[in-house]
Amino acid sequence: MAALATTKRFQRLAVFTLVAVTLTYLFHGGLLPAAPAWHFTSFRPSTYDWTQRPQAHPIPESDILPLPTEPPRTLPRIQHRFSAEELTEAHNSTQRHRQDAVRFAAKRAWGAYQKYAWGHDELRPKTLTAVDTFGGWGATLVDSLDTLWIMGMKKEFAQAAKFAERIDWESTTAGELSLFETNIRFLGGLLAAYDLSGEEGLLKKALELGNMLYAAFDTPNHLPANSFKIRKAKEGLLVADRRESSAAVGTLSLEFTRLSQLTGDSKFFSVTDRIKRDFERTQDETKLPGLWPVFLDLQNGFLTPGSSFTLGASADSAYEYLSKMHELLGGVDPAYEKMHVKAMETAKKHLLFSPKFRESEAAANILFSGNVNANGAGIIELEAEVQHLGCFTGGMFALGGKLFNRPEDVEIGEKLARGCGWAYAAMHTGVMPEVSDMIACDGPDRLKPCKFEKDEKKPKGDDLPGPFAYLRDNQYLLRPEAIESIFILYRITGKKDLLEVAWNMFVSIEQATRTDFANSAISNVDVGGETGKINSMESFWLAETLKYFYLIFSDPDLISLDEYVFNTEAHPLRLPKPPRGDV
């Protein structure tokens, strides 16, 4: 018996050693987060198992592409190497005060959500009622998990994580979901919260959701149906759309790939890699080669007949994910760099512009991104429409510029980021509008500052500041894109004046949107008095806007750009750990 017991102990020790070595490899390789210092077990499986659903159009095993097995390559360093003096400046009492102010705003908003809308998707901040807009699974709760963790609100995180681990994806207030929104908010939120905390139940819940969303690819041509009708998905009756936004189809890869990395199941990576190959195949065949039209025909095999092009709404994150996928895969797939570089070169040539200023105004060295209509036969018309959504482009250009050693793109990224910062300061409220028209410089030097001719007048009058011609949409919806780019540019360049830009933005937003218990979207940024609260606080207020404000005033090593890549909902996903160069 003693010999048998010794043998069993030896076997248990061998198994334990094997598991320990395996986990050490995974943690060291950056595929799993470090083990948490605490654990709670509250995971409860959903009542419907999507892995048991018969597939109507199964993808053959031979067509499932495995995750790349090459070791990650050495990637250039992204973050500025802050000196001891710069770190002291970044950590002084002023920055700590600002960080505390942002955290206080987050605690107010979270407390109101927790009291009046717990478990629902959003809080209506004026009436203090709940509303379900994304399936009724608690979008604000799941979207905010990593914000709570990053801001040190660990008690609130634990409460929210326990709720998230017990979500039943079968219990929903909606019969139809957006694949895009569910992916970036729920799947991205769960994966980031797991990457930060190591709480296993969050990964299990993410895998359940991933298996559900995987059903969107059970279509005749295996391209995804963004209109995820739950009953039809169960029956294998989904079809891809003839008019689908490029953002909807191009903004799945980060989350699906990270899920494959964490679970070892390559099917998630494989279906989005096929989309990558379609983007790659069609990039030079559109009416504006290098860019894809806003809408694609997925039902008939990824056709690109459209004539409208933008980096803004309905296209934005399809471009954002090109450089970020290069990072997440450790630089082993050259397609992402090629597509990113082509797209940015075309955007610089056709979409970006410098705005006009009067002689009496400071002609700031700033840029904006507009829209283009192209007929494929040489007629390319710029529409100088500026969207708040498009303010992410500064961060995108700068990140790609560092990653692919393109210093000119870092400079362009800074001009774009500062352009949106300027647009904030130009309004009476200090907050940028949702959509506006500007007067653009023209000709071959469109990216250089220019001025109005002596007697030149704006088409719709001079009542708006600087190059603004018309405010097409006066609202501010608590959006994050402008502070996102300011944050990324600060982390990349170390220029401390960006901290002042960020603080002025935050103070203006707080003054314009604050309610008794939280913050609300507003109807008019161009007024000196009442801004008109809309009674809306989307989940990205906590998930993105306040997170970026908090991080810019924090220790630069908190969620380093060399260790994490942010999805389009600002959820930090842990990168593999190749050595970083000094570029």
Side-chain angles (χ1 to χ4, degrees):
M1 293 295 292
L4 180 60
T6 300
T7 300
K8 288 183 177 179
R9 282 197 298 271
F10 177 78
Q11 290 172 339
R12 287 196 296 270
L13 178 61
V15 170
F16 174 81
T17 301
L18 178 61
V19 171
V21 169
T22 301
L23 289 176
T24 299
Y25 168 77
L26 290 172
F27 293 140
H28 180 72
L31 298 180
L32 295 177
W38 50 269
H39 263 298
F40 49 78
T41 303
S42 58
F43 173 78
R44 182 173 64 193
S46 294
T47 54
Y48 183 83
D49 185 353
W50 284 83
T51 64
Q52 301 303 308
R53 178 191 68 88
Q55 295 187 51
H57 311 281
I59 301 174
E61 286 288 333
S62 59
D63 289 348
I64 294 180
L65 185 70
L67 277 166
T69 56
E70 301 172 55
R73 297 179 181 177
T74 301
L75 298 178
R77 181 182 175 87
I78 301 298
Q79 284 210 165
H80 173 72
R81 201 179 292 278
F82 288 85
S83 67
E85 181 180 354
E86 288 173 322
L87 287 174
T88 299
E89 179 67 22
H91 297 160
N92 64 22
S93 59
T94 298
Q95 306 313 325
R96 288 195 296 272
H97 164 74
R98 292 170 175 180
Q99 187 184 37
D100 288 343
V102 176
R103 188 173 185 269
F104 181 75
K107 287 183 73 72
R108 284 182 74 248
W110 177 257
Y113 169 78
Q114 192 174 33
K115 183 174 182 179
Y116 298 106
W118 180 256
H120 292 279
D121 287 333
E122 294 173 12
L123 168 74
R124 286 179 169 145
K126 285 181 64 179
T127 56
L128 297 178
T129 53
V131 60
D132 288 325
T133 48
F134 296 104
W137 295 312
T140 293
L141 185 149
V142 176
D143 230 357
S144 303
L145 285 169
D146 51 6
T147 299
L148 299 174
W149 181 273
I150 289 167
M151 291 188 181
M153 298 165 64
K154 298 299 173 61
K155 178 181 177 181
E156 292 88 342
F157 173 85
Q159 292 171 335
K162 287 179 180 179
F163 180 96
E165 288 184 353
R166 300 171 73 85
I167 292 174
D168 186 353
W169 305 114
E170 183 68 4
S171 177
T172 176
T173 59
E176 180 178 349
L177 307 165
S178 164
L179 173 65
F180 167 81
E181 297 288 359
T182 309
N183 174 64
I184 65 171
R185 300 186 195 230
F186 287 96
L187 184 56
L190 290 167
L191 290 172
Y194 171 71
D195 266 345
L196 291 170
S197 71
E199 176 51 42
E200 294 286 343
L202 297 173
L203 179 58
K204 292 179 181 178
K205 193 54 63 174
L207 180 57
E208 280 188 346
L209 180 58
N211 281 317
M212 175 181 172
L213 299 184
Y214 185 76
F217 292 84
D218 188 14
T219 62
N221 61 8
H222 303 306
L223 287 172
N226 186 54
S227 297
F228 192 89
K229 299 177 177 65
I230 295 175
R231 182 185 61 78
K232 286 190 173 183
K234 289 180 178 178
E235 297 173 1
L237 298 176
L238 294 178
V239 293
D241 205 310
R242 290 182 179 178
R243 181 178 165 82
E244 189 58 78
S245 73
S246 52
V249 68
T251 314
L252 302 167
S253 52
L254 271 180
E255 298 81 4
F256 274 51
T257 297
R258 187 59 183 147
L259 185 58
S260 282
Q261 289 177 340
L262 290 169
T263 63
D265 190 339
S266 290
K267 71 182 185 183
F268 305 107
F269 162 76
S270 183
V271 290
T272 57
D273 189 79
R274 173 175 177 159
I275 293 172
K276 175 211 73 179
R277 284 174 274 157
D278 283 326
F279 273 111
E280 185 181 21
R281 174 179 56 82
T282 58
Q283 187 171 18
D284 296 328
E285 300 173 358
T286 71
K287 291 179 179 177
L288 189 61
L291 298 177
W292 297 273
V294 175
F295 293 101
L296 308 170
D297 181 350
L298 300 189
Q299 192 174 122
N300 294 300
F302 211 95
L303 301 180
T304 59
S307 57
S308 297
F309 298 83
T310 185
L311 298 179
S314 298
D316 43 12
S317 43
Y319 297 101
E320 176 188 356
Y321 274 26
L322 298 176
S323 57
K324 293 183 174 183
M325 275 298 295
H326 181 88
E327 275 198 286
L328 188 62
L329 291 174
V332 301
D333 186 343
Y336 286 107
E337 177 178 0
K338 291 177 182 177
M339 287 193 289
H340 171 87
V341 170
K342 280 184 183 179
M344 296 307 101
E345 284 298 308
T346 305
K348 284 188 288 187
K349 185 176 180 181
H350 297 292
L351 291 179
L352 306 190
F353 66 90
S354 180
K356 281 188 177 183
F357 285 89
R358 297 264 178 222
E359 288 289 343
S360 59
E361 297 168 334
N365 192 14
I366 58 178
L367 293 174
F368 291 98
S369 179
N371 309 325
V372 155
N373 291 309
N375 69 351
I379 297 178
I380 300 171
E381 298 177 342
L382 172 68
E383 180 186 17
E385 178 189 88
V386 174
Q387 304 174 24
H388 194 292
L389 271 169
C391 284
F392 85 97
T393 53
M396 176 180 65
F397 268 93
L399 182 66
K402 291 293 290 185
L403 196 57
F404 304 127
N405 194 23
R406 296 167 59 84
E408 177 189 324
D409 284 4
V410 178
E411 294 177 10
I412 285 176
E414 183 176 348
K415 292 177 183 178
L416 287 163
R418 290 184 182 276
C420 290
W422 175 88
Y424 266 69
M427 292 291 106
H428 287 116
T429 58
V431 181
M432 181 181 175
E434 181 76 359
V435 184
S436 57
D437 291 342
M438 286 195 176
I439 310 297
C441 299
D442 52 21
D445 295 329
R446 195 174 63 236
L447 300 188
K448 294 181 180 179
C450 69
K451 294 182 182 294
F452 284 96
E453 298 297 329
K454 185 176 181 180
D455 297 322
E456 185 179 357
K457 297 185 180 298
K458 294 183 183 180
K460 298 184 180 180
D462 286 334
D463 57 327
L464 291 173
F468 282 102
Y470 176 63
L471 301 189
R472 191 173 296 190
D473 185 343
N474 288 14
Q475 298 179 104
Y476 171 65
L477 304 179
L478 303 177
R479 288 200 185 278
E481 292 81 13
I483 183 56
E484 173 186 352
S485 283
I486 296 294
F487 160 72
I488 292 173
L489 264 298
Y490 171 67
R491 287 290 188 88
I492 285 177
T493 67
K495 294 182 178 181
K496 62 183 182 181
D497 72 297
L498 292 170
L499 296 172
E500 306 309 311
V501 174
W503 178 244
N504 291 334
M505 290 168 60
F506 174 74
V507 171
S508 296
I509 291 171
E510 265 287 278
Q511 290 176 345
T513 68
R514 185 182 175 102
T515 67
D516 290 341
F517 293 93
N519 295 80
S520 175
I522 59 176
S523 61
N524 191 354
V525 302
D526 190 40
V527 295
E530 176 57 43
T531 54
K533 303 296 192 301
I534 299 175
N535 201 26
S536 171
M537 188 180 80
E538 273 212 48
S539 65
F540 52 60
W541 170 242
L542 279 160
E544 301 188 68
T545 311
L546 290 179
K547 183 188 298 168
Y548 283 129
F549 275 119
Y550 183 84
L551 286 173
I552 197 171
F553 302 127
S554 302
D555 182 336
D557 286 332
L558 179 61
I559 315 297
S560 165
L561 297 183
D562 292 315
E563 296 178 0
Y564 292 89
V565 60
F566 288 87
N567 89 332
T568 197
E569 192 75 3
H571 294 307
L573 305 177
R574 190 179 295 267
L575 291 166
K577 291 185 177 179
R580 287 282 183 170
D582 292 324
V583 177

